[in-house]
Amino acid sequence: MAKVCLCLTGRTILKDLELVDRYRSYIDVAELRVDFLDPDERFYIRRFPALAGIPTILTVRRKIDGGNFVEGEGARIVLLAAGLAFADTDRRRNFAYVDLEDDLDVPSLEEAARTFGTKIIRSYHNFNGVDADLEQKLRSLRRTGDEIAKAAVMPQSYEDVAKLYQVAEQTRDIDKILIAMGPHGVSTRILAEKLGSHLSFTSPLAEVASDADIQVAGPGQLDPKTLVDTYRFRSLTKDTKVYGIIGYPLTATSSPQIHNRGYDEKKIDAVYIPFPVQDLPFFFSLADTLDIQGLSVTVPHKETVLSYCSQRSSEVERIGSCNTLVKTSQGWAGYNTDAKGFSDSLLHFIGKQSLWNKRLTIIGAGGVAKAVAAEVYRLKGRALILNRTQYKAKEVAEPLNFAWAGLDNRGIELMDRYRDIIIQTTSVGMEPNIDEDPIELYKFRGKEVVMDLIYKPEETKMLKRAAKAGCKTLNGYDMLLRQAKLQFLLFTGQEYPD
Ligand code: NAP
């Protein structure tokens, strides 16, 4: 079973011990990064495993390998030797592992490690890409059969990440740690068991790490609580089915929490992973390698994925945008759950079955606005579409016989005739730009129903203004949940748990 390792990058031993205590129930191993310690703290490293009470890796990483150590090889070897020396007869009080880089050749260190039961991790880092001969590289790292080979590489695309999974399959016979660093590599942190990795490295949460006494370690690492609680790391197996979300930059998504909670409660061996994707063709090569079963699709890919669909639902055909892909024996089937998620949420909120006799303003004409407009039309409402780029408002409005205008003074004036319900579908006002309001010139009367599809922050500046004027307001979380539940059913064939 792959272990969870917390990378300790505090400036003092005390800070590192605090971190171990904070995350103790989530981690199996800690890595003492001596290269992050203040020089006078280094005297105490030998006592660290006993003080921490957890299996610990001793690492002194050089700058060229992504670490902080700049004082030369002699000083580094002395530190490693000091960590291993005078080892205890009670092996639990010794370092459980020592990390020795591929090019470090000091037989006395290896001998000390073996004598005192410290396992050697033989590590290799490539910050520029993924080696063409990664399988050979991994095999040649181990000098004896009891060493763990560790390769941390920086993929430049999802094709590189796919290669890592292929190499993992070819090296099932060896004890190893395989990591794809950076944003492309998040799945390799979560799917350590699928990769056959001995452990997955984690780092403290961003707010903990913002402490001046802790510095940042590996690019792309998750924090232990997220890895264990959200991604259910401990229950993942080699055969876990993979689902996920593709989009860019994908910084504010709550979908992993929703879907993974569903798998957990329904006891389904599956995991849902965020894949920040700019380049779709490369991503689909990883989707094949990982046999990904289903994907949520978000900004900016809802239209571009249409060309990857071998089948399209009637909603996708009607709306021209797809937010759900399900793998079938004939290829990807495309669905749109935004549409029903939106209309179910709005109708439930206003306590009606249709939008008959309602006049609505839709702010925005992007991917989700198309789904919103199509639903307003299906439910017999009449709408005005306002968008910064006017021709896009026209493109969405005209086929539905709706009015349209730019997001300007004239557009705001036109809202007077379409103000029973206002639906905000742009990204304006979303975290981190919480001080923005796309219709700041519009004065709410207090009679409007106002829905903002944004759910981070919970209440946008526009919604705050509307609520203050007396309007009934709704954010996008209920819609998100409803559309995710529909996706869950399409992905797994099971209803989302209550
Ligand atoms: P999209 O296709 O990229 O469309 C973005 C829209 O926002 C366009 O109308 C764009 O206008 C407008 N826009 C962006 N920046 C603007 C600015 N500075 N000023 C004025 N208008 C601006 O994105 P999408 O898929 O439609 O998603 C849009 C929003 O809906 C996102 O915030 C997303 O989180 C939210 N959403 C929520 C749910 C949910 O379940 N609650 C589901 C889907 C989407 P131009 O055409 O002029 O560029």
Side-chain angles (χ1 to χ4, degrees):
M1 168 76 77
K3 298 176 170 63
V4 180
C5 175
L6 177 64
C7 191
L8 300 171
T9 52
R11 288 174 52 189
T12 63
I13 294 278
L14 208 60
K15 199 44 104 184
D16 283 343
L17 289 171
E18 270 174 30
L19 288 174
V20 170
D21 274 341
R22 175 186 278 264
Y23 289 111
R24 191 175 292 279
S25 60
Y26 296 101
I27 61 176
D28 310 295
V29 179
E31 181 187 37
L32 180 66
R33 287 288 299 268
V34 178
D35 48 306
F36 282 91
L37 288 174
D38 286 345
D40 49 356
E41 291 284 316
R42 296 173 185 165
F43 294 112
Y44 311 108
I45 59 176
R46 177 66 198 95
R47 292 171 54 206
F48 190 84
L51 292 170
I54 190 165
T56 306
I57 305 173
L58 172 64
T59 302
V60 190
R61 188 77 72 228
R62 295 172 296 201
K63 202 105 188 155
I64 48 160
D65 295 316
N68 246 4
F69 199 79
V70 286
E71 290 150 55
E73 276 308 75
R76 204 162 74 96
I77 292 163
V78 168
L79 268 178
L80 285 164
L84 296 172
F86 315 118
D88 213 294
T89 46
D90 178 354
R91 290 187 165 193
R92 284 170 307 173
R93 299 168 72 84
N94 297 339
F95 279 97
Y97 308 84
V98 61
D99 184 305
L100 304 178
E101 288 82 359
D102 185 26
D103 60 356
L104 185 70
D105 227 343
V106 185
S108 59
L109 280 181
E110 294 163 23
E111 211 177 301
R114 294 208 168 90
T115 307
F116 298 113
T118 302
K119 215 167 173 57
I120 296 173
I121 298 174
R122 194 70 68 168
S123 65
Y124 167 72
H125 295 82
N126 180 350
F127 286 91
N128 298 314
V130 176
D131 307 69
D133 59 346
L134 187 61
E135 182 193 346
Q136 279 331 102
K137 180 84 217 167
L138 208 57
R139 289 191 182 282
S140 65
L141 280 175
R142 297 196 322 161
R143 302 192 184 165
T144 57
D146 59 354
E147 293 188 358
I148 301 172
K150 172 185 164 187
V153 293
M154 184 67 85
Q156 304 299 314
S157 71
Y158 279 109
E159 204 175 30
D160 281 349
V161 181
K163 182 164 177 207
L164 216 73
Y165 285 99
Q166 286 148 12
V167 168
E169 209 43 53
Q170 292 152 358
T171 53
R172 284 246 154 244
D173 54 315
I174 65 171
D175 201 357
K176 62 180 177 291
I177 301 168
L178 257 181
I179 305 155
M181 297 181 282
H184 286 112
V186 171
S187 71
T188 66
R189 312 267 179 197
I190 298 168
L191 298 175
E193 191 66 26
K194 212 178 252 302
L195 280 164
S197 266
H198 191 95
L199 52 79
S200 181
F201 288 96
T202 60
S203 45
L205 257 182
E207 52 264 37
V208 178
S210 65
D211 182 325
D213 288 337
I214 304 169
Q215 297 176 53
V216 176
Q221 288 179 2
L222 295 166
D223 72 275
K225 187 173 186 313
T226 303
L227 188 66
V228 172
D229 282 353
T230 304
Y231 295 103
R232 302 159 55 242
F233 184 82
R234 298 206 189 285
S235 63
L236 303 186
T237 67
K238 183 169 131 336
D239 303 316
T240 295
K241 287 199 168 100
V242 181
Y243 296 87
I245 177 164
I246 55 174
Y248 199 83
L250 209 60
T251 42
T253 177
S254 293
S255 298
Q257 281 82 349
I258 298 172
H259 283 267
N260 286 314
R261 193 185 315 141
Y263 304 144
D264 193 36
E265 289 190 21
K266 287 279 182 174
K267 308 224 173 319
I268 300 172
D269 186 12
V271 64
Y272 183 99
I273 297 173
F275 295 99
V277 173
Q278 282 180 292
D279 198 333
L280 278 179
F282 281 152
F283 174 75
F284 280 103
S285 94
L286 174 66
D288 280 347
T289 304
L290 276 180
D291 196 20
I292 291 179
Q293 298 293 304
L295 288 164
S296 309
V297 181
T298 187
V299 185
H301 300 308
K302 287 183 185 177
E303 285 161 36
T304 28
V305 292
L306 291 175
S307 60
Y308 292 86
C309 298
S310 55
Q311 307 154 54
R312 299 171 187 184
S313 72
S314 53
E315 279 95 355
V316 169
E317 294 290 5
R318 185 162 56 89
I319 299 161
S321 127
C322 166
N323 79 327
T324 309
L325 292 174
V326 178
K327 186 158 182 182
T328 71
S329 51
Q330 287 96 50
W332 294 102
Y335 299 86
N336 189 309
T337 65
D338 278 339
K340 192 141 176 21
F342 157 73
S343 51
D344 285 355
S345 179
L346 178 63
L347 291 178
H348 179 259
F349 187 65
I350 62 175
K352 300 258 188 254
Q353 304 282 322
S354 82
L355 297 173
W356 173 252
N357 252 342
K358 298 282 180 212
R359 296 176 71 89
L360 300 89
T361 297
I362 299 168
I363 319 285
V368 77
K370 279 188 180 168
V372 166
E375 282 299 275
V376 169
Y377 180 81
R378 184 177 70 81
L379 293 166
K380 313 240 176 314
R382 305 203 43 203
L384 162 70
I385 298 183
L386 300 183
N387 195 47
R388 177 180 63 177
T389 312
Q390 289 199 32
Y391 81 88
K392 289 191 188 165
K394 182 178 177 200
E395 274 176 8
V396 178
E398 279 194 345
L400 305 174
N401 229 354
F402 286 170
W404 59 273
L407 196 49
D408 48 25
N409 286 347
R410 184 176 156 268
I412 300 291
E413 273 171 31
L414 285 175
M415 284 178 73
D416 273 345
R417 286 192 268 140
Y418 293 88
R419 58 182 163 86
D420 294 327
I421 302 173
I422 296 170
I423 319 280
Q424 198 303 107
T425 77
T426 76
S427 46
V428 182
M430 188 164 79
E431 282 176 4
N433 304 316
I434 57 169
D435 289 327
E436 293 178 356
D437 177 343
I439 50 168
E440 58 188 357
L441 296 178
Y442 179 77
K443 301 267 175 292
F444 290 101
R445 281 25 172 217
K447 295 265 191 293
E448 303 91 330
V449 168
V450 185
M451 178 175 185
D452 196 329
L453 301 201
I454 292 172
Y455 54 89
K456 281 188 183 173
E458 251 176 65
E459 197 177 35
T460 55
K461 186 173 179 196
M462 183 200 76
L463 275 194
K464 269 191 198 134
R465 241 178 7 98
K468 205 168 162 202
C471 302
K472 286 173 77 178
T473 60
L474 173 66
N475 75 11
Y477 192 75
D478 181 59
M479 167 179 167
L480 177 81
L481 202 56
R482 286 173 191 268
Q483 68 77 27
K485 287 179 178 181
L486 295 168
Q487 281 182 338
F488 190 89
L489 182 61
L490 288 166
F491 287 167
T492 65
Q494 298 192 39
E495 293 287 347
Y496 193 84
D498 282 340

